[in-house]
Amino acid sequence: MEKKLPTIKEIAKRLSISISTVSRALHDHPSIGLRTKMAVKKMAAELNYEPNQTAIFFKQRKTFTIGVILPNLREEFFSSAINGIEDLAIGNNYIVLIGQSRDDLEREKNIVESMKKHRVDGILASISKSTTRIEHFEQLKNYDIPVVFFDRVPDVPEVHSVSCNLYHSSVEAVDFLVRNGHKRIAYIQGPPTLNIKNERLNGYYDALKKNKIPVDEHLIVSTDLSVENTQKAFDKLMLVKKKPTAIIVFNDYVALDAIHYARQKNIRINKDLSFVSYANAPLTHYLDYPPIASVEQFPYEQGTRATELLFKLIDQKSAGQEMPYENVVLKSELIIH
Amino acid sequence: MEKKLPTIKEIAKRLSISISTVSRALHDHPSIGLRTKMAVKKMAAELNYEPNQTAIFFKQRKTFTIGVILPNLREEFFSSAINGIEDLAIGNNYIVLIGQSRDDLEREKNIVESMKKHRVDGILASISKSTTRIEHFEQLKNYDIPVVFFDRVPDVPEVHSVSCNLYHSSVEAVDFLVRNGHKRIAYIQGPPTLNIKNERLNGYYDALKKNKIPVDEHLIVSTDLSVENTQKAFDKLMLVKKKPTAIIVFNDYVALDAIHYARQKNIRINKDLSFVSYANAPLTHYLDYPPIASVEQFPYEQGTRATELLFKLIDQKSAGQEMPYENVVLKSELIIH
DNA sequence: CTGTTAGCGCATTCAA
DNA sequence: TTGAATGCGCTAACAG
């Protein structure tokens, strides 16, 4: 049985006044007499009246809902990011719809469609590793749904984004290793789609040059992030005649897999072979053999900054203005453990 | 500028037919002539028509949205659970609103209110550790919003729930330790609100009895899950005259903190002191000194089962039926590492 | 200060 | 087989 919830109509009837008076009274409209206002509020309280938001959403063309699309929530990076997003959203009386692409483009598209149908006021997205084209996001312009990308940002100019520039930290990472006596520094990079800007590797190259260390292309391998693939990449490095004494790894998870594998091979971590990685995931603190340094990418802050930007866009939109594309870039930081 | 999206009205006008005909044609209503139906669909496609869901939600009193309230997403347990939830939700054309209570009752209440306002069709919840009363959930009955609790379930009979019974695994855990020669088995339990049913400890007691090991209350301490508090609890255990040789710990995160602390004290993990815990979080696989065993609580499955139950409730509701309270209990499993 | 009216987009009942 | 009319609950323009 559907319970019938009270409406302003009901209140109006009981008070024998008009619906609009009730509506205005409830909104503290200045032109309402104090007496009627009180009466209305009293009656509303008695009836336990609550406005039907679906009606309001419908009428106002606004749902106070933002959609968040990201690869997965298992990575601490993303769960931290969503904390930032949620904190700001709640503060602004918004609520968060979530969708995990699981790094699958089709899923990502479905989620976008679903959120579009639900008429979210805006979307925050970190693209999947298989996302190369972003039409599914671009079409949202036709629906006036602003999109802000964060962290995993598509490499096109006409988007709003918040991300962390990893170039300087990559340089720092190499500098740090060199200072510690390393000359053979290898690099395990991630899948190409997540590396378009190549900040990590460019920093690596430039820092080697700066330190007058010749680049050895054999020392640069890549993984698709799967365990097996990472192990293969690692094996390749171990086959190089002059083995590396340090490896910079795409992110902490890959680093953990690599370290785990290396230990099975009786390699002494951070003695025979040192690891530096990206993300600085808290779980590494529990490890006995963590990377000796990791690049902090400030997920919580990326989340809040992206959400701020999104709210700005939503406001501009309802004010009928157009905003130029904004690309916020935070500075990463090499954290030595 | 608000773009004006096409409506059925627009289609009707262009085709010089009535709105209702368009509506019916779009829904493949049997009473519509094939020709007009085709024409309507063609026009709809041309105009890129898409139904305004907010209007439909409003009219149908249904939003195809479920709310998920849980303490936090950082714990792998909950991010796995939400995977299960999301998979089922998407499969049923639903979308997921998320809210993290951060183990704070006030936040939890706010989230419930917010989701209520958004007229979610149902809610899945794992309560915060400070939640002792559940009026904020119970009031949802007045709004016909069904609630299914999972994992952290309030200890009252009149709720729907899905959870994992930890009693048997607790017995197994003790048995396992005894088989491995332990006689002094300590216990670090969690905050009382998360322990109402006391399955863990009851299993512990019963298993000790079964193994003819006298209970030593000094070996039972508790933590509020914070690092400091866990350390204090651990210190207490180390002060007992006959020290324990094994500790069963409330969950993996507490276990990690305890292990970390123990190592600082030069205790040899799983030699001087063995650890068994609950949750079986994947991250423990990366550890060099993980608990030797952990109780798997099947978060993904809890998520899917809870969602199934919720959908059943939603269906019953729209069919005007009432459902008896259902409490699904899964069996946990002790996983030896 | 308050009431009347219209309309958001759609589904649906009642007539034709 | 189709159209006209109604209403979901609320806001707001317009009129007193």
Side-chain angles (χ1 to χ4, degrees), chain A residues 1-3 5 48 50-59 61 63-66 72-74 76 79-80 82-84 86-87 90 93-102 107 110-111 113-119 139 141-144 227 253 256-257 260 263 282-283 285-289 300 317-322, chain B residues 1-3 5 48 50-59 61 63-66 72-74 76 79-80 82-84 86-87 90 93-102 107 110-111 113-119 139 141-144 227 253 256-257 260 263 282-283 285-289 300 317-322:
Chain A
M1 279 295 71
E2 290 286 321
K3 272 136 194 143
L5 300 176
N48 243 305
E50 296 184 47
N52 180 338
Q53 291 291 338
T54 62
I56 297 175
F57 294 159
F58 169 48
K59 183 137 228 302
R61 299 171 149 58
T63 57
F64 291 93
T65 305
I66 59 175
N72 67 76
L73 287 163
R74 291 190 114 134
E76 289 182 281
S79 59
S80 294
I82 210 159
N83 282 351
E86 203 192 14
D87 285 350
I90 289 186
N93 255 306
Y94 268 71
I95 195 162
V96 175
L97 271 179
I98 191 94
Q100 300 179 74
S101 69
R102 311 282 173 82
R107 252 185 103 110
N110 283 339
I111 295 170
E113 282 310 304
S114 186
M115 289 184 173
K116 183 177 86 183
K117 269 182 35 178
H118 278 254
R119 293 281 203 272
Q139 51 131 350
K141 278 183 211 151
N142 304 327
Y143 301 83
D144 268 329
V227 179
Y253 297 92
L256 295 195
D257 290 329
H260 192 76
R263 297 202 65 225
L283 78 89
H285 302 325
Y286 288 117
L287 302 180
D288 294 288
Y289 298 96
Y300 184 93
K317 180 185 72 178
S318 49
Q321 303 174 24
E322 199 63 56
Chain B
M1 278 296 69
E2 289 286 322
K3 271 134 195 145
L5 299 176
N48 243 305
E50 297 185 47
N52 180 337
Q53 292 291 338
T54 62
I56 297 176
F57 294 159
F58 169 48
K59 184 142 226 301
R61 297 170 150 58
T63 57
F64 291 94
T65 305
I66 60 175
N72 67 76
L73 287 164
R74 291 190 114 134
E76 290 183 279
S79 59
S80 295
I82 210 159
N83 282 351
E86 203 192 14
D87 285 349
I90 289 185
N93 255 307
Y94 268 71
I95 196 163
V96 175
L97 271 178
I98 191 92
Q100 300 179 72
S101 69
R102 312 282 173 81
R107 254 186 102 111
N110 284 338
I111 295 169
E113 283 310 305
S114 186
M115 289 184 172
K116 183 177 85 183
K117 270 181 37 178
H118 278 253
R119 292 283 203 271
Q139 51 131 350
K141 278 183 211 150
N142 303 327
Y143 301 84
D144 268 327
V227 179
Y253 297 92
L256 295 196
D257 289 330
H260 191 75
R263 299 203 63 225
L283 78 88
H285 301 325
Y286 288 116
L287 302 180
D288 295 290
Y289 297 97
Y300 184 93
K317 181 185 72 179
S318 49
Q321 303 175 24
E322 199 64 54

Side-chain angles (χ1 to χ4, degrees), chain A residues 75 103 198 210 318 322 337:
Chain A
E75 279 182 48
D103 268 324
N198 243 344
K210 192 179 78 175
S318 49
E322 199 63 56
H337 290 152

Side-chain angles (χ1 to χ4, degrees), chain B residues 8-17 19 22:
Chain B
I8 47 170
K9 194 173 171 184
E10 176 69 16
I11 298 179
K13 195 163 61 181
R14 300 219 184 190
L15 259 35
S16 307
I17 57 178
I19 292 180
V22 174

Side-chain angles (χ1 to χ4, degrees), chain A residues 259-321:
Chain A
I259 289 172
H260 192 76
Y261 189 58
R263 297 202 65 225
Q264 287 174 13
K265 300 193 168 308
N266 288 316
I267 293 170
R268 291 174 305 167
I269 305 305
N270 298 339
K271 294 184 108 175
D272 302 333
L273 188 57
S274 295
F275 286 84
V276 169
S277 65
Y278 295 81
N280 193 33
L283 78 89
T284 59
H285 302 325
Y286 288 117
L287 302 180
D288 294 288
Y289 298 96
I292 44 174
S294 189
V295 175
E296 174 63 52
Q297 299 173 233
F298 304 103
Y300 184 93
E301 197 182 351
Q302 284 200 47
T304 54
R305 296 294 295 274
T307 311
E308 273 171 16
L309 177 50
L310 185 63
F311 282 140
K312 225 166 65 181
L313 292 169
I314 291 174
D315 286 348
Q316 308 289 310
K317 180 185 72 178
S318 49
Q321 303 174 24

Side-chain angles (χ1 to χ4, degrees), chain B residues 34-228:
Chain B
L34 187 60
R35 254 207 326 286
T36 46
K37 190 161 108 181
M38 298 301 260
V40 167
K41 295 216 171 184
K42 183 152 161 280
M43 180 59 74
E46 259 173 48
L47 295 182
N48 243 305
Y49 168 77
E50 297 185 47
N52 180 337
Q53 292 291 338
T54 62
I56 297 176
F57 294 159
F58 169 48
K59 184 142 226 301
Q60 315 280 266
R61 297 170 150 58
K62 198 154 170 2
T63 57
F64 291 94
T65 305
I66 60 175
V68 177
I69 304 176
L70 38 70
N72 67 76
L73 287 164
R74 291 190 114 134
E75 278 180 50
E76 290 183 279
F77 180 89
F78 291 115
S79 59
S80 295
I82 210 159
N83 282 351
I85 293 168
E86 203 192 14
D87 285 349
L88 240 82
I90 289 185
N92 285 276
N93 255 307
Y94 268 71
I95 196 163
V96 175
L97 271 178
I98 191 92
Q100 300 179 72
S101 69
R102 312 282 173 81
D103 268 324
D104 179 77
L105 179 57
E106 284 314 307
R107 254 186 102 111
E108 188 175 87
K109 286 183 181 169
N110 284 338
I111 295 169
V112 170
E113 283 310 305
S114 186
M115 289 184 172
K116 183 177 85 183
K117 270 181 37 178
H118 278 253
R119 292 283 203 271
V120 294
D121 292 337
I123 287 183
L124 295 171
S126 209
I127 61 178
S128 91
K129 77 176 175 195
S130 39
T131 302
T132 50
R133 326 195 55 197
I134 56 165
E135 284 92 349
H136 50 303
F137 287 111
E138 279 168 345
Q139 51 131 350
L140 293 172
K141 278 183 211 150
N142 303 327
Y143 301 84
D144 268 327
I145 300 177
V147 178
V148 174
F149 292 95
F150 68 97
D151 193 59
R152 293 201 193 168
V153 174
D155 189 34
V156 298
E158 313 84 11
V159 295
H160 301 280
S161 73
V162 173
S163 58
C164 219
N165 187 328
L166 303 176
Y167 176 84
H168 294 288
S169 296
S170 296
V171 173
E172 275 184 77
V174 172
D175 285 348
F176 167 72
L177 288 169
V178 171
R179 272 204 308 282
N180 283 273
H182 296 279
K183 297 204 147 35
R184 302 286 297 162
I185 301 171
Y187 204 99
I188 301 183
Q189 52 173 335
T193 45
L194 301 184
N195 260 326
I196 311 176
K197 298 198 182 165
N198 244 343
E199 291 165 357
R200 289 176 173 87
L201 211 54
N202 288 341
Y204 168 82
Y205 282 131
D206 291 356
L208 284 185
K209 187 188 262 181
K210 192 179 78 174
N211 285 285
K212 307 216 160 50
I213 298 178
V215 172
D216 179 349
E217 291 293 340
H218 299 294
L219 290 184
I220 300 171
V221 296
S222 64
T223 174
D224 63 4
L225 309 186
S226 71
V227 179
E228 311 75 47

Side-chain angles (χ1 to χ4, degrees), chain A residues 116-133:
Chain A
K116 183 177 86 183
K117 269 182 35 178
H118 278 254
R119 293 281 203 272
V120 295
D121 293 337
I123 287 183
L124 296 171
S126 209
I127 61 177
S128 92
K129 76 176 175 195
S130 40
T131 302
T132 50
R133 327 194 57 199

